[in-house]
Amino acid sequence: MTPWNDNPVLKVEHLTMRFGGLVAINDLSFNVGRGDITALIGPNGAGKTTVFNCITGFYKPTEGRLVMKQKKGDSFLLERMPDFKISARAKVARTFQNIRLFGGMTLLENLMVAQHNPLMLASGMSVAGIFGLAGYRQAETEAIDRAKYWLNRIGLIARADDPAADLPYGDQRRLEIARAMCTGPEILCLDEPAAGLNPKESAELNALLRFIRDEHDTSVLLIEHDMSVVMEISDHVVVLDYGEKISDGTPEEVRNDPAVIAAYLGVADEEVEVVEEEVGL
Amino acid sequence: MMAQNDSLFTASLKDAAAGGLIALALFGITLGMRADVAAGLGGQMVIDYRWGAVAIIVAIVFFGRLALNLFVWKSDKPVTQYFSTLKPKPGAGSKVGAFAKPALLVLAVALPFLLMSYYGASGSRRFLDLAILVTTYVMLGWGLNIVVGLAGLLDLGYVAFYAVGAYSYALLAHYFGFSFWICLPLAGILAAFWGITLGFPVLRLRGDYLAIVTLAFGEIIRVVLLNWYNFTGGPDGISGIPRPSFFGLEFERGENGFAAFFGLDYSSIHRIIFLYYLILIMALATNFVTMRLRRLPVGRAWEALREDEIACRSLGINTTNTKLTAFALGAMFGGFAGSFFATRQGFISPESFTFIESAVILAIVVLGGLGSQIGVVIAALVMIGGFELIREFEEYRMLVFGLLMVVIMVWKPRGLISTRTPSIALSGKARGISADLVQEGHG
């Protein structure tokens, strides 16, 4: 029973990425199910972030195909598109492992920059905007409303006019997710969204991700080390080790997969249960 | 550390003595002996000894260091701790700014009449010329501010676009007899075109590399102008560039002149006043467009680019195009200012477009505070106006200039007006963002 194989939003096919002699990803194939939260996990250096960079166009894959299929049926070959078009046209949004907000700009401005492309069109490539035509003002009001909606959602509306660099770490993480959502994505790629969060913030993040999946009809692909997040919210888990897929399935299946346990814990099978209890899996 | 049980005074004395010794070694050679050609001795070289000057320098270093040691560096209660109260409080500037901006504008508009009433027609010419010069630099500063201040691209060859604008007008007038008003937009378009031409290959570079290539571009333009003798006149320049007219009225004596039309007595000051208002309007238009663009998506994208280029790309912003628009727009305003320069001078040559011009414009932007429009005005007033007024002390200009730079860099490393105003705010009151949080761009 693998629901992510029929009508997936993103198909990764035979993805290979080499840096010189180093094979970071080797013939990796998996599907990201439409409307699923898919987790990409694996030990450090397994190649998870490289997969992300290939999907979002920051790296060009050495081999393989990345097929993105949107809700209304358009499909895009991501490996052939420049990075900004992947976000603008194919509607893939991402966040970064080390947060990349526009620190000197306010929260509201951060969310406005994310709506650059539709606003640019509305401003007639700035010409109409300079003369303050009504069409642009309408579009700007709508953009502000969308920004306000997301600020409300992440509970930071009171700080809308503060610079983003002033926010505490957990709030910055949430703001980066909100900023990615303001681009109106069909698939949201989150690189370790729970890193550095305390348990309460982790729980809030889980709620936010579920909200994004259910209310905004957006598929989520996330890299995560925090197993409490992964096991609780994922619909589908893909496990990488040394650039290869070692397991693929529901959280329940992956959790009991001996290959995964070996990769993570490196113990003999008969000791697994003991160790599992110790680490609280 | 050495000799912790030394008393404060002994330690300071030792340190100051070491400083004095180093000063003696350095200045003993550089200042103490001067090679000179003796007059009347058949051009023989003689060495001039100036031990008095060395003694003064060494004394200054010794006592200066002693005083600093005693009161600042080694003291338990350094006097500098009281200095922090002298620093302006954050946010204090915005209140002043709210009054200063309209006041400066009113002053700028009323300036010719104030000068005329105070100094008379002939006396005020000198000051009006200076005001025109300062306003030209304000406009150039505002133009460069788009590239350096907003988009965070370091452009060391901005004067190239100034030159393109000036030569566009001069050459079009020279070969085709076009008037100023036709050439003004053409000069801007040509400069923007060169901005895009340069930008396309160059804007993939970042930081130091971008700075070097723009620097080279500025020199290329100047060298081409200098060597293409048949077309540009080379070092001879182009003279007899036509003056601008006021809606078809020339500023000249006689029936069809400006003075006769308005029933005024002819005076050469009319043209100067007209030029002043012309550049003022052009500069204000630059400011208006920049401030408008800052609130539009493209302006926000420039600032976002300065903050983090990779994040911009992840949000679907075409960074190449965004950089190009900033470059082209900055170049365009440089071109406008250039064609104004040509029409004001009536004569241009490559001499006017050397690297030092780029450096001065960049210094105005940096001293004023990257991205701050009012900062550029203050910096241009001080750097251009201030130095022209003390022209008599020619020798000391560079000394004062250097000192001013050092003071600014120590006191306000991000420029005079360093807080960033948000381009949009939910609550009515937009608070300035401290410069510490704002990135400077990586080229």
Side-chain angles (χ1 to χ4, degrees):
Chain A
M1 178 56 186
T2 50
W4 44 85
N5 284 341
D6 32 85
N7 193 21
V9 62
L10 177 73
K11 273 202 276 190
V12 177
E13 296 174 348
H14 306 290
L15 183 70
T16 299
M17 183 76 210
R18 296 193 200 95
F19 298 101
L22 175 78
V23 183
I25 310 168
N26 189 15
D27 195 24
L28 172 72
S29 302
F30 67 92
N31 289 338
V32 179
R34 193 173 300 277
D36 281 355
I37 293 178
T38 307
L40 194 59
I41 64 171
N44 284 328
K48 306 179 294 293
T49 299
T50 310
V51 173
F52 256 46
N53 283 338
C54 287
I55 292 172
T56 51
F58 284 82
Y59 293 157
K60 289 283 155 243
T62 323
E63 286 168 29
R65 220 156 71 118
L66 300 156
V67 189
M68 163 89 196
K69 197 153 180 239
Q70 292 186 346
K71 269 171 249 166
K72 53 184 198 287
D74 299 338
S75 55
F76 297 88
L77 293 177
L78 300 185
E79 79 279 4
R80 299 189 186 173
M81 299 168 75
D83 46 18
F84 70 91
K85 277 195 183 152
I86 289 180
S87 169
R89 307 242 332 266
K91 298 289 172 199
V92 178
R94 75 168 292 177
T95 66
F96 296 87
Q97 195 170 354
N98 44 345
I99 304 169
R100 287 184 173 272
L101 286 169
F102 306 123
M105 302 174 85
T106 64
L107 273 60
L108 180 61
E109 282 179 305
N110 268 276
L111 300 189
M112 293 296 277
V113 171
Q115 303 177 57
H116 175 81
N117 287 314
L119 280 177
M120 199 70 186
L121 271 181
S123 73
M125 293 301 156
S126 308
V127 179
I130 288 183
F131 299 107
L133 298 187
Y136 173 68
R137 265 181 281 147
Q138 163 105 33
E140 191 181 35
T141 316
E142 280 167 19
I144 294 174
D145 285 344
R146 174 174 292 155
K148 273 192 199 160
Y149 167 82
W150 279 108
L151 284 174
N152 263 322
R153 187 60 210 133
I154 61 173
L156 291 175
I157 188 77
R159 304 200 62 178
D161 294 335
D162 288 348
D166 265 358
L167 291 180
Y169 191 81
D171 290 350
Q172 290 195 8
R173 284 247 173 245
R174 286 208 307 278
L175 180 62
E176 208 189 11
I177 295 172
R179 189 180 67 177
M181 284 309 293
C182 275
T183 63
E186 298 230 341
I187 175 166
L188 176 67
C189 301
L190 305 171
D191 199 344
E192 298 202 21
L197 300 190
N198 64 33
K200 183 171 161 281
E201 288 170 325
S202 272
E204 282 172 9
L205 177 77
N206 289 355
L208 178 64
L209 293 186
R210 281 206 189 95
F211 172 79
I212 286 171
R213 178 191 59 184
D214 300 336
E215 304 298 320
H216 285 269
D217 209 5
T218 304
S219 316
V220 179
L221 174 64
L222 61 99
I223 292 177
E224 192 47 74
H225 281 299
D226 187 339
M227 286 304 144
S228 69
V229 173
V230 172
M231 294 301 161
E232 200 186 321
I233 66 169
S234 314
D235 303 302
H236 173 196
V237 180
V238 176
V239 191
L240 291 190
D241 195 18
Y242 295 108
E244 297 189 28
K245 187 167 83 173
I246 56 171
S247 183
D248 185 347
T250 61
E252 199 56 39
E253 287 164 5
V254 166
R255 180 200 299 240
N256 297 321
D257 188 333
V260 177
I261 296 164
Y264 265 91
L265 306 174
V267 290
D269 284 0
E270 52 270 26
E271 291 174 303
V272 163
E273 287 198 358
V274 184
V275 182
E276 261 189 325
E277 271 180 16
E278 276 174 19
V279 299
L281 265 173
Chain B
M1 282 300 291
M2 104 184 160
Q4 278 183 336
N5 42 8
D6 272 359
S7 73
L8 172 66
F9 187 74
T10 334
S12 305
L13 208 59
K14 276 182 184 167
D15 184 80
L21 215 60
I22 292 170
L24 180 67
L26 281 176
F27 290 106
I29 304 164
T30 54
L31 200 71
M33 288 175 261
R34 190 171 71 161
D36 208 349
V37 182
L41 286 172
Q44 220 179 347
M45 290 281 278
V46 291
I47 292 182
D48 205 3
Y49 294 99
R50 298 187 294 185
W51 299 123
V54 175
I56 292 170
I57 288 274
V58 170
I60 289 173
V61 170
F62 176 78
F63 287 110
R65 209 173 160 88
L66 187 64
L68 281 172
N69 271 327
L70 283 178
F71 298 114
V72 183
W73 292 334
K74 292 192 200 285
S75 162
D76 292 335
K77 284 183 134 190
V79 287
T80 41
Q81 71 183 348
Y82 305 110
F83 288 2
S84 58
T85 53
L86 298 177
K87 272 196 170 176
K89 286 181 198 71
S94 59
K95 256 184 199 161
V96 181
F99 294 107
K101 282 175 201 173
L104 271 176
L105 184 64
V106 169
L107 183 69
V109 171
L111 187 72
F113 300 103
L114 292 177
L115 286 172
M116 291 278 279
S117 62
Y118 194 73
Y119 289 105
S122 56
S124 57
R125 168 146 191 180
R126 175 172 163 238
F127 294 104
L128 268 177
D129 273 333
L130 182 57
I132 292 173
L133 189 71
V134 170
T135 319
T136 313
Y137 276 94
V138 168
M139 180 169 175
L140 286 169
W142 278 343
L144 186 62
N145 210 359
I146 297 176
V147 184
V148 180
L150 292 183
L153 306 164
L154 185 53
D155 182 356
L156 292 181
Y158 191 63
V159 79
F161 305 119
Y162 191 39
V164 167
Y167 268 86
S168 308
Y169 173 45
L171 291 170
L172 285 170
H174 184 75
Y175 287 104
F176 302 110
F178 285 3
S179 78
F180 175 74
W181 294 107
I182 298 175
C183 290
L184 183 68
L186 285 179
I189 290 167
L190 277 168
F193 167 76
W194 277 107
I196 292 172
T197 312
L198 170 70
F200 245 124
V202 160
L203 286 176
R204 63 189 63 235
L205 303 175
R206 305 183 67 178
D208 308 350
Y209 303 99
L210 179 71
I212 290 167
V213 176
T214 52
L215 174 73
F217 177 72
E219 285 300 288
I220 288 169
I221 291 275
R222 191 177 63 83
V223 171
V224 167
L225 292 175
L226 200 59
N227 288 291
W228 198 355
Y229 192 83
N230 296 331
F231 184 56
T232 65
D236 301 344
I238 300 172
S239 55
I241 300 168
R243 305 294 193 177
S245 60
F246 180 77
F247 295 103
L249 293 171
E250 299 291 339
F251 289 89
E252 60 191 13
R253 215 180 279 280
E255 284 294 294
N256 303 318
F258 172 84
F261 187 86
F262 285 97
L264 300 165
D265 291 329
Y266 174 78
S267 163
S268 62
I269 199 80
H270 291 159
R271 191 171 58 80
I272 308 295
I273 294 176
F274 171 64
L275 284 174
Y276 173 74
Y277 279 119
L278 181 60
I279 187 65
L280 187 65
I281 289 168
M282 281 163 66
L284 289 175
T286 308
N287 182 39
F288 173 77
V289 170
T290 312
M291 292 326 276
R292 255 290 156 77
L293 284 175
R294 229 188 128 232
R295 293 193 188 91
L296 286 176
V298 69
R300 265 184 228 122
W302 290 337
E303 292 201 80
L305 205 61
R306 180 190 65 199
E307 295 285 325
D308 193 326
E309 188 177 338
I310 290 176
C312 275
R313 283 192 275 149
S314 84
L315 296 174
I317 295 173
N318 185 340
T319 50
T320 315
N321 283 359
T322 308
K323 284 181 183 178
L324 271 181
T325 51
F327 225 64
L329 221 74
M332 188 180 79
F333 289 122
F336 286 148
S339 75
F340 173 81
F341 176 75
T343 195
R344 178 176 91 100
Q345 300 288 95
F347 165 79
I348 51 167
S349 76
E351 284 280 283
S352 316
F353 308 107
T354 50
F355 169 67
I356 195 74
E357 289 297 312
S358 290
V360 166
I361 303 165
L362 188 64
I364 287 173
V365 174
V366 172
L367 284 183
L370 292 174
S372 162
Q373 300 289 86
I374 194 78
V376 167
V377 177
I378 297 168
L381 271 172
V382 173
M383 295 232 349
I384 308 297
F387 286 122
E388 288 297 321
L389 283 179
I390 57 162
R391 210 172 235 300
E392 293 91 86
F393 311 104
E394 183 74 44
E395 283 184 286
Y396 302 105
R397 277 175 85 198
M398 277 300 153
L399 194 68
V400 174
F401 184 62
L403 201 66
L404 199 71
M405 285 280 197
V406 171
V407 168
I408 287 282
M409 287 305 120
V410 170
W411 179 56
K412 289 213 125 192
R414 294 295 292 267
L416 287 171
I417 313 283
S418 49
T419 49
R420 176 181 174 273
T421 320
S423 65
I424 190 170
L426 278 190
S427 54
K429 46 185 199 309
R431 281 179 296 118
I433 296 173
S434 155
D436 305 333
L437 304 176
V438 180
Q439 301 292 315
E440 289 163 69
H442 309 280

